[in-house]
């Protein structure tokens, strides 16, 4: 019974409420690296994610429930299991991976068509900008056909998970949008 | 702004977790993906609650799985519990848990490390096993003994699920080095795991060598492990031959305390180990170990009937090796009125076997007891009791005692309807043992049989008819009109079964000098042309030959007809020495119930079971998509009932139930007609019953004449 009242209290006052954010993108894009840079502020060594990582972090007084899903072809079909109640999606692109830009674009638009994500804000990280061969943010934006997006708050930010460039900038934007949407 | 207001109101009013029209599963799913941690946890608890009530909540799998990554240990436990339960119905979704399993196996909390490795090696999903290597290696080397103890068991589990992978990873070597672990519980579990693996495949671990080099560890481990691990270790020890009498004595001493365990399986396994080592220590029958074995066997008789049955079958084997072991415990095996029939029958068998034939008082007691059984109502039980009476008479062997037994049987024959078959067989067995000199007995039996008006209708079984005809052939002077009696049987020759046919043939040949020649001629013709029984035909042809050369070799046929019979020494069946040794080594196994060595039973294919296990990735993907789509459409339990996983589940269950029933029927012979108890004990010996039916019939007959 105690639990029941405490969860009722939580709901009434919006205390302890968590904002769900998904980090998606093809394998090797840098999702896990970004998640842990957000969480502990460091670069961790990663292995391909078979399944997911989830971390709760407080950013600007907002409790975020950040889900980093594996990007391998075999795991992508399960992304949709995680769509419900999602406030925002962070889509990470490896800007050096020119060959797979069309695949990334395809997966992105496929995901955005889902009913459950109609209200979700979108932040794209054009990641790995520290690499010389990286495409610029606007080039990535064109490859991904972002201008086509209607009725959605979205933004693209050039980033590097390894040296931290652009990460907080992107997240600041996202939090502002989400806070407004949620009230 | 309007949108924001709407959301606020929505959130505020959805406070109470009321059950909506959409149903429970829908509510649970909403709770599981809630933005509020406490609500999620509540929903997990409710889901587990439903699961333990037996409701199928497997469709919540993906949503439950989302809650596996948490720092809340209680919540993690619940999710693991759920995942273990339903992994097999959702193998494709399990892959989503891999990352969490792997990181949990490195958690700072040893409990979580255990949980992760245990779950990973238990789930029958190939895709998961692919990732088990690193966590398994790490936990095998863990600082915490609790974790190591869990990890060594996981090696055996992995072996059972995927032998090749287990060998590839080389964790079997880790398992062997765990025998040197500083913690006795780890050693115990490692031994249990090794024994388990050895049982599945003897070629992968050199268990006998390991036991030899670690005997004391093995023996010490018995005190440190769970009872199931203990059974496994004892099983391994029973396979091991001690290098000298000292070691054998040490093994016996260490195992003896476990003879008093409450778990009957532990007791039987301990008995097996002790018996294995007894020959090497040359214990005499007075040695205290025998009284310990005896009280262990007796303790098994205070278990539920199913286990008593298993115990009795095992006792039967032990008694053959050590006939005196239970001779002071006769009363324990007396039949109780509420014993199930299958226990009653086994008990009677045991009673006759364990009674000491040099102890008149005991034999007299048992005689009185058996007489009471023969007055009961269950026909099978009564038949068995009558047979036991004759077995007891033969076993005690003294003429006065046999006379007493015979009187009881004659009385039963006269007072109880429909047991004439059993009584006749029992009486004939007694006569065969007592020999023809016992005029009095012969007269008693023959005048009883003489008084029967229509024997053809009275006697039902082949075996009883065969005995009746034997009586005619053996003691013709005791009957009036033997010729007419035999003629009646010849008239129905073609309808009779093989024992009766054979018996008739032998009796008529034996009496050919006092019977009309046409009768003999007629029977020989019938027996060579109108029967399918090869033995009968061969015998008839042989006699015919003998008779046709009679003029020149007059002595031959007379010799055949007048030779005196050997006395039968026992009517209890025995195992061959090799079979007995094998069965003693396999006490407490299924083979001890069937009296068939494990090697003669076909082993089921090792990788049976989960049909989902070996699915290809693309197939799994397809299933996953299917599954997710379906889950989206199911909103309540009613819909859910029509859903395929549920349906296939219930199919599976009913199949499983069916097979359990079959299995039980097999054990207790319920579905198939039970072997007729009134047959001689030799016929009951299970090992040759089926294949050798024919030849054993002949053997019986040769014994008869
Ligand atoms: N140079 C450079 N390397 C990066 C950057 N971000 C990630 N990486 C590297 O890219 C590799 C893959 O990074 P992950 O974070 O594991 O990629 P992921 O998206 O989680 O991959 P999956 O889990 O397979 O979906 C790692 O070796 C990272 O060190 C970046 O900004 N610059
Ligand atoms: Mg990753």
């Amino acid at each position: 019974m105690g639990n029941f009242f405490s969860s009722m209290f939580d709901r009434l006052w919006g205390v302890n409420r968590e904002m769900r954010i998904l980090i998606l993108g093809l394998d090797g894009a840098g999702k896990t690296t970004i998640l842990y840079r957000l969480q502990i502020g460091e670069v961790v060594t990663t292995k391909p994610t078979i399944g997911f990582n989830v971390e709760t972090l407080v950013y600007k007084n907002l409790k975020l429930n950040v889900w980093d899903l594996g990007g391998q072809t075999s795991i992508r079909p399960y992304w949709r299991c995680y769509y419900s109640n999602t406030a925002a999606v962070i889509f990470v692109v490896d800007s050096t991976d020119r060959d797979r830009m069309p695949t990334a674009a395809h997966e992105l638009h496929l995901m955005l068509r889902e009913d459950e994500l109609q209200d979700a804000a979108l932040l794209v990280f054009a990641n790995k900008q520290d690499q010389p061969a990286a495409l610029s943010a606007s080039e990535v934006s064109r490859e991904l056909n972002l201008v086509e997006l209607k009725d959605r708050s979205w933004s693209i930010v050039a980033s590097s998970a390894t040296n931290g460039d652009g990460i907080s900038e992107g997240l600041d934007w996202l939090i502002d949008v989400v806070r407004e949407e949620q009230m | 702004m309007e949108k924001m207001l709407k959301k606020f109101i929505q959130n505020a009013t959805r406070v109470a977790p009321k059950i909506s029209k959409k149903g429970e599963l829908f509510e649970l799913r909403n709770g599981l993906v809630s933005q509020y941690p406490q609500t999620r946890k509540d929903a997990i608890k409710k889901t587990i609650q439903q699961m333990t009530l037996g409701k199928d909540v497997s469709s919540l799998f993906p949503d439950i799985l989302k809650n596996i990554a948490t720092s809340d240990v209680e919540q993690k436990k619940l999710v693991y519990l759920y995942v273990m339960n339903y992994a097999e119905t959702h193998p494709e979704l399990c892959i989503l848990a891999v990352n969490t399993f792997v990181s949990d196996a490195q958690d700072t909390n040893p409990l979580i490390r255990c949980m992760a490795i245990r779950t990973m090696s238990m789930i029958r999903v190939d895709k998961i096993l692919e990732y088990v290597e690193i966590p398994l290696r790490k936990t095998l080397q863990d600082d915490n003994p609790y974790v190591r103890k869990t990890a060594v068991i996981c090696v055996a589990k992995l072996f059972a699920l995927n032998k090749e992978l287990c060998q590839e990873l080389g964790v079997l070597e880790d398992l062997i080095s765990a025998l040197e672990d500083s913690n006795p519980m780890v050693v115990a579990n490692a031994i249990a795991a090794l024994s388990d693996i050895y049982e599945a495949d003897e070629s992968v671990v050199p268990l006998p060598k390991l036991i030899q080099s670690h005997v004391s560890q093995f023996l010490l481990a018995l005190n440190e492990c769970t009872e199931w691990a203990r059974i496994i270790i004892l099983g391994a020890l029973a396979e091991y031959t001690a290098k000298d009498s000292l070691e054998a004595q040490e093994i016996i001493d260490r195992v003896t305390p476990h003879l008093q365990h409450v778990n009957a399986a532990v007791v039987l396994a301990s008995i097996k180990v002790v018996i294995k080592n007894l020959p090497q220590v040359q214990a005499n029958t007075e040695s205290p170990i025998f009284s310990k074995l005896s009280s262990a066997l007796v303790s098994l008789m205070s278990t539920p009937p199913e286990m008593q049955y298993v115990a009795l079958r095992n006792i039967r084997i032990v008694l053959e090796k050590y006939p005196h072991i239970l001779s002071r415990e006769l009363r324990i095996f007396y039949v109780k009125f509420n014993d199930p029939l299958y226990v009653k029958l086994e008990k009677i068998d045991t009673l006759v076997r364990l009674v000491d034939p040099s102890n008149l008082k005991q034999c007299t007691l048992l005689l009185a007891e058996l007489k009471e059984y023969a007055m009961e109502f269950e026909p099978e039980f009564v038949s068995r009791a009558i047979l036991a009476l004759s077995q007891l008479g033969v076993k005690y062997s003294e003429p006065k005692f046999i006379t007493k037994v015979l009187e009881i049987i004659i009385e039963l024959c006269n007072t109880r309807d429909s047991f004439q078959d059993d009584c006749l067989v029992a009486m004939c067995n007694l006569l065969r043992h007592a020999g023809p000199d016992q005029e009095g007995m012969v007269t008693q039996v023959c005048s009883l049989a003489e008084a029967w008006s229509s024997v053809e209708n009275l006697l039902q079984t082949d075996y009883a008819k065969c005995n009746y005809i034997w009586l005619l052939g053996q003691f013709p002077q005791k009957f009036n009109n033997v010729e007419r009696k035999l003629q009646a049987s010849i008239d129905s020759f073609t309808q009779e079964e093989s024992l009766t046919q054979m018996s008739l043939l032998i009796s008529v040949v034996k009496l050919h000098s006092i019977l009309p020649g046409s009768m003999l001629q007629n029977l020989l013709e019938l027996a060579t042309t109108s029967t399918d029984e090869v033995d009968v035909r061969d015998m008839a042809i042989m006699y015919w030959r003998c008779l046709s050369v009679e003029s020149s070799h007059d002595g031959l046929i007379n010799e055949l007809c007048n030779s005196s019979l050997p006395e039968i020494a026992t009517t209890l069946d025995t195992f061959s020495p090799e079979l007995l040794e094998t069965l003693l080594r396999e006490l407490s196994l299924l083979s001890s119930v069937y009296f068939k060595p494990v090697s003669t039973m076909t082993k089921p294919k090792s990788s049976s079971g989960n049909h989902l296990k070996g699915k290809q990735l693309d197939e799994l993907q397809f299933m996953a998509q299917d599954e997710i789509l379906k889950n989206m459409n199911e909103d309540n339990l009613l819909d859910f009932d029509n859903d395929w996983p549920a349906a296939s589940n219930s199919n599976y269950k009913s199949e499983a139930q069916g097979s359990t029933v079959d299995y039980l029927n097999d054990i207790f012979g319920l579905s198939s007609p039970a072997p007729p108890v009134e047959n001689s004990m030799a016929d009951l010996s299970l090992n040759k019953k089926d294949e050798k039916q024919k030849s054993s019939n002949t053997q019986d007959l040769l014994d008869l004449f």
Side-chain angles (χ1 to χ4, degrees):
Chain A
M1 212 52 194
N3 286 341
F4 173 68
F5 280 115
S6 88
S7 61
M8 185 159 96
F9 183 86
D10 287 356
R11 277 188 172 148
L12 266 179
W13 302 102
V15 200
N16 281 334
R17 173 158 162 200
E18 293 171 349
M19 207 74 79
R20 273 170 66 89
I21 294 181
L22 298 185
I23 308 183
L24 303 175
L26 302 188
D27 46 303
K31 299 180 292 295
T32 308
T33 319
I34 288 178
L35 173 68
Y36 286 100
R37 170 162 283 282
L38 288 174
Q39 163 87 346
I40 47 176
E42 280 171 28
V43 179
V44 295
T45 29
T46 60
K47 277 201 276 325
T49 310
I50 311 298
F52 62 86
N53 291 293
V54 57
E55 298 296 340
T56 307
L57 46 110
V58 181
Y59 196 84
K60 300 201 169 158
N61 278 332
L62 216 56
K63 220 172 172 186
L64 302 181
N65 211 224
V66 188
W67 295 74
D68 152 41
L69 307 185
Q72 292 185 2
T73 333
S74 56
I75 303 174
R76 279 179 230 157
Y78 307 114
W79 285 358
R80 59 191 308 166
C81 296
Y82 297 82
Y83 290 163
S84 61
N85 290 340
T86 296
V89 174
I90 300 175
F91 195 82
V92 185
V93 183
D94 177 351
S95 310
T96 65
D97 190 359
R98 288 157 198 259
D99 292 348
R100 291 209 296 167
M101 281 299 165
T103 317
H106 172 75
E107 292 290 351
L108 174 69
H109 289 284
L110 198 67
M111 163 194 75
L112 291 176
R113 275 209 294 278
E114 293 289 338
D115 279 347
E116 287 174 299
L117 292 178
Q118 286 321 304
D119 292 339
L122 173 72
L123 167 65
V124 178
F125 275 130
N127 196 31
K128 305 203 184 177
Q129 288 298 326
D130 53 298
Q131 298 288 53
L135 295 178
S136 71
S138 56
E139 282 170 315
V140 172
S141 172
R142 197 163 44 242
E143 289 278 349
L144 296 183
N145 227 340
L146 292 180
V147 283
E148 270 201 352
L149 297 178
K150 305 265 163 10
D151 291 333
R152 188 181 302 274
S153 329
W154 66 269
S155 172
I156 180 164
V157 175
S159 71
S160 164
T162 37
N163 63 28
D165 289 351
I167 302 291
S168 38
E169 189 190 333
L171 206 65
D172 285 348
W173 173 85
L174 193 67
I175 295 307
D176 286 346
V177 173
V178 170
R179 204 195 290 276
E180 196 158 300
E181 296 239 325
Q182 306 273 321
M183 66 183 296
Chain B
M1 193 59 206
E2 201 183 79
K3 198 168 147 194
M4 280 157 49
L5 199 68
K6 228 170 76 190
K7 273 201 175 161
F8 175 75
I9 295 170
Q10 237 176 27
N11 277 334
T13 50
R14 271 203 355 211
V15 164
K18 55 176 185 274
I19 302 297
S20 78
K21 268 188 247 128
K22 290 208 162 193
E24 217 166 2
L25 279 179
F26 181 81
E27 283 301 319
L28 285 174
R29 182 170 295 135
N30 267 344
L32 290 172
V33 298
S34 157
Q35 291 163 301
Y36 301 97
Q38 189 58 49
T39 311
R40 291 201 297 267
K41 192 168 172 182
D42 290 346
I44 294 172
K45 283 186 183 161
K46 275 191 206 125
T47 310
I48 300 283
Q49 194 181 32
Q50 297 292 316
M51 181 178 97
T52 51
L53 288 176
K55 292 220 179 102
D56 187 340
V57 285
S58 62
S59 65
L60 298 174
F61 197 91
D63 301 301
I64 290 274
L65 201 53
K66 287 175 201 163
N67 293 293
I68 197 172
T70 169
S71 51
D72 180 340
V73 180
E74 188 190 8
Q75 176 172 337
K76 204 183 258 299
K77 264 191 189 163
L78 291 172
V79 176
Y80 268 90
L81 191 67
Y82 178 95
V83 170
M84 271 189 250
N85 201 21
Y86 285 121
E88 292 195 26
T89 55
H90 292 260
E92 69 291 346
L93 293 173
C94 286
I95 191 179
L96 296 175
V98 169
N99 204 54
T100 316
F101 286 153
V102 175
S103 52
D104 280 356
Q106 303 170 36
D107 200 277
T108 46
N109 184 339
L111 277 174
I112 292 184
R113 298 203 291 275
C114 278
M115 216 150 68
I117 189 63
R118 191 191 305 140
T119 311
M120 259 190 118
S121 54
M122 250 176 77
I123 297 181
R124 304 169 155 274
V125 181
D126 278 348
K127 208 71 193 127
I128 296 259
L129 293 182
E130 278 175 32
Y131 299 96
V132 83
E133 174 176 2
I134 295 168
L136 188 54
R137 261 189 229 293
K138 280 218 171 83
T139 45
L140 277 170
Q141 308 298 336
D142 206 285
D143 294 335
N144 187 306
Y146 182 71
V147 178
R148 291 200 302 277
K149 159 183 115 115
T150 309
V152 290
I153 291 291
C154 289
V155 176
K157 283 188 186 155
L158 176 63
F159 188 85
L161 291 179
N162 191 335
K163 186 170 137 186
E164 292 76 24
L165 181 68
C166 189
Q167 286 176 281
E168 235 169 77
L169 297 185
V171 281
L172 292 175
E173 284 76 39
D174 292 283
L175 196 54
I176 292 171
S177 26
L179 291 176
E180 318 282 348
D181 201 286
S182 57
N183 184 296
M185 303 238 279
V186 178
V187 179
N189 279 6
I191 288 172
L194 282 167
S195 311
D196 207 27
I197 291 172
Y198 183 77
E199 199 183 317
D201 185 346
E202 298 186 359
S203 66
V204 289
V205 284
L207 191 66
K209 260 198 213 143
L210 289 173
I211 299 181
Q212 195 159 38
S213 51
H214 295 84
V215 178
S216 53
Q217 276 101 324
F218 271 69
L219 292 171
L220 279 174
L222 287 174
N223 305 322
E224 300 288 342
C225 59
T226 66
E227 53 194 62
W228 294 110
R230 204 174 301 184
I231 294 165
I232 295 171
I233 297 175
L234 286 165
L237 281 172
E239 295 289 320
Y240 172 70
T241 309
K243 60 176 182 289
D244 51 33
S245 64
L246 233 76
E247 190 175 271
Q249 188 62 53
E250 191 196 349
I251 294 177
I252 291 179
D253 292 346
R254 290 286 190 169
V255 169
T256 309
H258 302 284
L259 289 172
Q260 288 160 10
H261 200 272
V262 284
N263 184 326
V266 174
V267 177
L268 273 176
S270 308
I271 291 174
K272 173 163 61 175
V273 177
V274 172
I275 287 184
K276 161 87 184 185
N277 288 285
L278 273 180
Q280 265 174 294
V281 298
Q282 290 161 346
N284 64 15
T285 42
E286 295 307 310
S287 124
I289 187 62
F290 281 104
S291 68
K292 280 178 188 153
L293 278 177
S294 160
S295 51
L297 290 170
V298 167
S299 75
L300 297 175
M301 295 315 291
S302 35
T303 53
E306 293 83 355
M307 275 154 78
Q308 281 186 41
Y309 178 79
V310 174
L312 286 162
R313 300 291 277 182
N314 280 279
I315 286 171
R316 149 92 178 79
I317 299 169
V318 176
L319 276 178
E320 192 148 334
K321 177 90 178 180
Y322 300 104
H324 296 291
I325 197 164
L326 284 166
S327 49
R328 293 207 191 92
E329 308 291 351
L330 192 69
R331 280 171 186 281
I332 300 290
F333 298 91
Y334 280 4
V335 171
K336 297 195 186 73
F337 76 96
N338 57 350
D339 282 337
L341 180 62
Y342 60 88
V343 170
K344 286 183 178 165
L345 298 180
E346 284 304 313
K347 275 188 172 177
I348 297 190
D349 184 66
T350 310
L351 283 168
V352 181
R353 282 173 193 280
L354 67 78
V355 72
D356 178 1
S358 60
N359 184 337
L360 174 62
K361 200 170 151 229
Q362 203 182 45
C363 288
T364 315
L365 274 176
L366 182 56
L367 186 62
E369 183 75 13
L370 290 175
K371 187 179 166 189
E372 258 171 52
Y373 299 165
M375 307 300 289
E376 293 283 336
F377 295 99
E378 275 165 300
E380 286 189 62
F381 180 56
V382 175
S383 295
R384 187 64 188 80
I386 294 171
L387 174 66
L389 280 168
S390 69
Q391 288 174 328
L392 176 65
V394 172
K395 188 168 183 183
Y396 190 70
S397 180
E398 189 266 334
K400 256 195 209 146
F401 191 81
I402 296 184
T403 314
K404 212 166 5 169
V405 176
L406 192 64
E407 266 155 19
I408 292 174
I409 297 177
I410 288 174
E411 192 191 325
L412 285 168
C413 195
N414 287 329
T415 52
R416 304 216 53 178
D417 286 338
S418 69
F419 290 101
Q420 277 81 5
D421 280 43
D422 304 301
C423 292
L424 181 70
V425 173
M427 292 184 296
C428 290
N429 279 346
L430 289 175
L431 290 187
R432 277 191 207 100
H433 175 72
D437 317 337
Q438 298 294 332
E439 257 310 301
M441 288 189 207
V442 173
T443 315
Q444 269 180 302
V445 176
C446 291
S447 57
L448 180 81
E450 171 76 7
W452 286 338
S453 51
S454 64
V455 182
E456 301 75 37
N457 301 329
L458 193 71
L459 298 179
Q460 297 298 316
T461 61
D462 188 29
Y463 202 66
K465 288 181 198 169
C466 152
N467 273 284
Y468 175 71
I469 294 168
W470 171 80
L471 212 55
L472 294 178
Q474 198 65 26
F475 310 107
Q477 70 285 4
K478 301 277 179 192
F479 290 91
N480 294 320
N481 223 340
V482 174
E483 181 186 336
R484 209 197 62 230
K485 290 189 165 83
L486 287 172
Q487 186 57 49
S489 298
I490 293 175
D491 291 345
S492 58
F493 181 84
T494 48
Q495 287 106 59
E496 299 297 352
E497 287 168 63
S498 61
L499 288 178
T500 309
Q501 290 187 345
M502 189 70 106
S503 176
L504 192 56
L505 183 61
I506 295 171
S507 293
V508 170
V509 170
K510 194 171 161 72
L511 303 180
H512 73 280
S513 52
I514 59 165
L515 294 172
S518 59
M519 197 170 165
L520 179 63
Q521 180 74 24
N522 184 10
L523 179 62
L524 286 175
E525 257 162 39
L526 278 172
T528 46
T529 58
S530 310
T531 178
D532 298 331
E533 298 294 332
V534 184
D535 293 337
V536 177
R537 222 163 44 209
D538 282 357
M539 191 72 122
I541 291 170
M542 190 197 77
Y543 279 141
W544 209 326
R545 266 288 165 81
C546 295
L547 288 162
S548 57
V549 297
E550 193 188 359
S551 48
S552 48
H553 299 272
D554 210 19
L556 177 60
I557 198 79
N558 281 340
E559 206 177 303
L560 272 177
C561 295
N562 298 328
S563 58
S564 63
L565 298 174
E567 270 180 26
I568 51 168
T570 175
T571 44
L572 295 169
D573 61 328
T574 53
F575 299 123
S576 70
E578 307 79 49
L579 180 63
L580 178 59
E581 288 309 314
T582 316
L583 290 178
L584 283 169
R585 271 203 311 281
E586 293 175 2
L587 283 183
S588 82
L589 303 184
L590 201 54
S591 45
S592 69
V593 176
Y594 281 111
F595 299 153
K596 279 184 186 172
V598 176
S599 58
T600 64
M601 297 195 233
T602 45
K603 269 194 179 172
K605 291 270 176 291
S606 55
S607 63
S608 65
N610 191 358
H611 61 292
L612 292 166
K613 205 177 142 198
K615 285 266 188 320
Q616 292 303 308
L617 192 57
D618 44 348
E619 239 176 306
L620 287 178
Q621 228 163 336
F622 177 75
M623 286 170 66
Q625 279 163 5
D626 222 40
E627 185 71 6
I628 293 162
L629 279 176
K630 215 169 276 154
N631 287 349
M632 293 175 139
N633 300 332
E634 291 160 9
D635 280 333
N636 57 42
L637 271 165
L638 285 176
D639 279 354
F640 186 65
D641 277 347
N642 299 327
D643 174 42
W644 73 262
S648 66
N649 240 355
S650 63
N651 273 346
Y652 172 74
K653 263 181 210 135
S654 66
E655 232 178 74
Q657 266 164 12
S659 68
T660 323
V661 172
D662 285 350
Y663 169 74
L664 283 174
N665 284 345
D666 279 351
I667 285 194
F668 299 118
L670 291 177
S671 66
S672 55
V677 191
E678 59 269 41
N679 272 5
S680 88
M681 283 305 289
D683 269 1
L684 272 181
S685 94
L686 287 165
N687 54 326
K688 54 179 182 181
K689 171 125 181 98
D690 294 327
E691 316 88 70
K692 298 192 177 167
Q693 184 75 54
K694 277 217 180 90
S695 56
S696 78
N697 284 348
T698 330
Q699 190 59 44
D700 285 349
L701 274 158
L702 292 179
D703 287 350
L704 282 182
F705 289 90

